[in-house]
């Protein structure tokens, strides 16, 4: 089944409505959220693209799935759209992150690492809210959209509720740590030669869902931030010390002392199987062979939520 123009127009209308109604993630704030960047435009994103054009891997609209089962695509976006979601109101988007919005911010600073992780976590909560609310709107307009609401969709919505509850508890822990600095989170800081990519995301392992109770327990959490500076690529990897398993501990250390080829494989695995919030400059995207980009999308379609081993390097030669 292929979506009609009328269905696509309705989907766009629903998406616009949902995004417009998102409230600020700052505790106690009831203002509507503005378009917030997980990584700022000035001092980070403008370091890697003279054209201010980027490529990010995005979900396609649900109705496209019925046509070819391709869930992901490399989408061309401008700098104002790069890793941006309606997360905070104008006041809190400015006030909360002032120390990491300056030109020469220090990424090896614990509080700054917490702030990047807090913003990524809030972004994840907003994404969950968007997906959940969109599906509710799809259901209201099902006569026009003709989407199948089966048991799989119902389970997805219950899991989203459970995951949101879990992440809100972690958000409270992060908020407390930002305010009191008790050393409850652990981060490693790595520096590599510049590569025109970026990411800011949260990844979890050892999940258990109790759907009837509305509870999701995520035993192991990883924060990862890949930040291009003027002459270097800086990587922050870390976790809350009360939500970590041995694999996440080891994985955090694996990002150190990598040669260019090994770093490329680590990045390819991260982007293909673990996170969604990443991108690259349009210039770098155009240099990657079409066959390699197609291979990446095919792999992510099949393995975005499992640990299948990567046998290719999206960034070979760079």
């Amino acid at each position: 089944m292929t979506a009609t123009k009328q269905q696509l127009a309705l989907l766009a209308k629903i998406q616009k409505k949902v995004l417009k109604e998102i409230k600020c993630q700052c505790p106690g704030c009831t203002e509507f959220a503005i378009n917030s960047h997980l990584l700022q435009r000035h001092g980070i994103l403008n370091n890697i693209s003279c054209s201010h054009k980027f490529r990010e891997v995005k979900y396609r609209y649900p109705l496209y799935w019925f046509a070819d089962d391709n869930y992901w695509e490399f989408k061309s976006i401008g700098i104002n759209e790069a890793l941006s979601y309606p997360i905070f109101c104008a006041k809190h988007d400015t006030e909360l992150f002032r120390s990491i919005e300056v030109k020469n911010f220090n990424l090896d600073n614990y509080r700054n690492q917490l702030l990047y992780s807090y913003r990524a976590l809030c972004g994840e909560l907003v994404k969950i809210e968007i997906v959940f609310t969109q599906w509710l709107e799809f259901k209201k307009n099902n006569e026009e959209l003709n989407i199948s609401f089966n048991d799989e969709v119902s389970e997805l919505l219950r899991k989203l509720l459970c995951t949101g509850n879990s992440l809100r508890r972690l958000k409270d822990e992060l908020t407390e740590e930002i305010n009191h600095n008790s050393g409850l989170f652990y981060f490693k800081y790595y520096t590599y030669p510049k590569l025109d990519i970026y990411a800011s995301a949260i990844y979890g392992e050892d999940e258990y869902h109790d759907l009837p109770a509305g509870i999701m327990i995520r035993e192991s959490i990883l924060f990862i931030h890949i930040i291009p500076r003027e002459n270097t690529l800086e990587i922050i990897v870390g976790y809350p010390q009360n939500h970590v398993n041995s694999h996440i501990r080891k994985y955090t250390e694996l990002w150190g002392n990598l040669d260019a080829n090994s770093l490329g494989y680590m990045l390819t695995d991260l982007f293909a199987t673990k996170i969604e919030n990443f991108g690259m400059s349009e210039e770098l995207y155009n240099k990657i062979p079409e066959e390699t980009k197609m291979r990446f999308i095919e792999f992510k379609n099949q393995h975005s939520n499992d640990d299948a081993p990567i046998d290719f390097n999206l960034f070979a030669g760079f």
Side-chain angles (χ1 to χ4, degrees):
M1 173 182 172
T2 303
T4 66
K5 290 183 179 180
Q6 291 79 9
Q7 288 171 325
L8 291 177
L10 180 55
L11 283 170
K13 182 179 179 181
I14 288 172
Q15 184 181 47
K16 184 177 180 180
K17 176 189 176 191
V18 170
L19 294 177
K20 189 177 180 181
E21 295 176 351
I22 301 293
K23 296 291 184 69
C24 177
Q25 285 289 309
C26 186
C29 184
T30 58
E31 295 294 318
F32 287 105
I34 63 168
N35 193 42
S36 303
H37 289 264
L38 297 184
L39 299 176
Q40 59 264 36
R41 293 171 294 174
H42 305 293
I44 293 183
L45 295 176
N46 64 352
N47 284 332
I48 63 173
S49 178
C50 296
S51 66
H52 287 182
K53 293 181 179 179
F54 304 87
R55 291 279 177 157
E56 293 183 3
V57 173
K58 301 283 191 180
Y59 266 126
R60 304 172 76 195
Y61 271 129
L63 287 184
Y64 280 118
W65 299 357
F66 299 153
D68 55 20
D69 289 331
N70 286 326
Y71 306 140
W72 303 93
E73 64 179 343
F74 277 110
K75 186 175 180 180
S76 179
I77 59 172
I79 195 168
N80 290 330
E81 301 171 85
L83 287 194
S84 64
Y85 305 95
I87 308 176
F88 300 100
C89 67
K91 175 185 176 182
H92 291 119
D93 192 49
T94 301
E95 290 183 355
L96 291 175
F97 307 103
R98 185 170 284 117
S99 67
I100 58 175
E101 295 283 348
V102 297
K103 183 176 181 181
N104 295 314
F105 59 93
N106 180 10
L107 274 173
D108 201 17
N109 175 277
Y110 180 63
R111 190 173 190 277
N112 289 346
Q113 293 164 346
L114 290 172
L115 287 173
Y116 274 109
S117 300
Y118 181 79
R119 190 154 60 181
L121 175 58
C122 289
E124 198 66 27
L125 281 167
V126 166
K127 286 164 60 180
I128 289 172
E129 181 179 351
I130 290 171
V131 173
F132 185 85
T133 309
Q134 281 182 342
W135 273 107
L136 294 183
E137 290 293 326
F138 295 163
K139 193 170 185 178
K140 289 180 185 177
N141 294 273
N142 197 31
E143 185 174 337
E144 295 88 350
L145 294 175
N146 192 26
I147 296 177
S148 174
F149 286 87
N150 52 28
D151 291 341
E152 185 177 344
V153 173
S154 297
E155 183 175 341
L156 166 67
L157 295 181
R158 289 196 296 269
K159 283 187 174 181
L160 286 173
L161 282 175
C162 294
T163 304
N165 291 337
S166 174
L167 292 183
R168 277 186 284 275
R169 289 193 293 272
L170 180 58
K171 178 185 172 184
D172 292 341
E173 294 177 23
L174 255 176
T175 302
E176 182 73 12
E177 185 66 9
I178 290 169
N179 292 332
H180 295 97
N181 195 349
S182 302
L184 299 181
F185 289 71
Y186 175 85
F187 294 99
K188 291 288 287 188
Y189 167 73
Y190 303 107
T191 302
Y192 287 101
K194 187 177 178 182
L195 184 62
D196 292 346
I197 60 172
Y198 55 91
S200 186
I202 179 174
Y203 166 69
E205 292 185 349
D206 298 339
E207 295 181 358
Y208 166 73
H209 291 85
D210 184 344
L211 298 182
I215 297 172
M216 189 276 278
I217 299 173
R218 180 177 282 172
E219 297 292 348
S220 304
I221 299 291
L222 178 84
F223 295 104
I224 186 159
H225 313 288
I226 299 174
I227 300 179
R229 305 300 290 268
E230 188 173 353
N231 298 305
T232 58
L233 183 70
E234 301 186 7
I235 300 176
I236 305 299
V237 193
Y239 47 80
Q241 300 203 59
N242 61 339
H243 298 290
V244 62
N245 60 14
S246 59
H247 177 258
I248 291 293
R249 291 181 188 275
K250 181 178 179 181
Y251 183 78
T252 299
E253 307 298 326
L254 285 177
W255 284 91
N257 301 313
L258 299 171
D259 59 32
N261 188 55
S262 298
L263 177 62
Y265 273 97
M266 288 283 287
L267 291 168
T268 304
D269 172 76
L270 175 71
F271 296 162
T273 68
K274 293 178 175 60
I275 68 170
E276 299 173 17
N277 291 338
F278 67 91
M280 68 185 76
S281 69
E282 184 79 10
E283 293 87 342
L284 176 59
Y285 175 83
N286 289 334
K287 294 176 183 177
I288 298 174
E290 290 298 322
E291 180 182 350
T292 305
K293 289 181 287 196
M294 290 176 59
R295 190 174 181 185
F296 177 85
I297 292 296
E298 290 172 0
F299 191 94
K300 192 166 182 66
N301 279 328
Q302 297 173 15
H303 303 291
S304 61
N305 293 308
D306 62 42
D307 291 324
I310 287 285
D311 60 355
F312 68 98
N313 180 358
L314 183 63
F315 305 103
F318 299 108

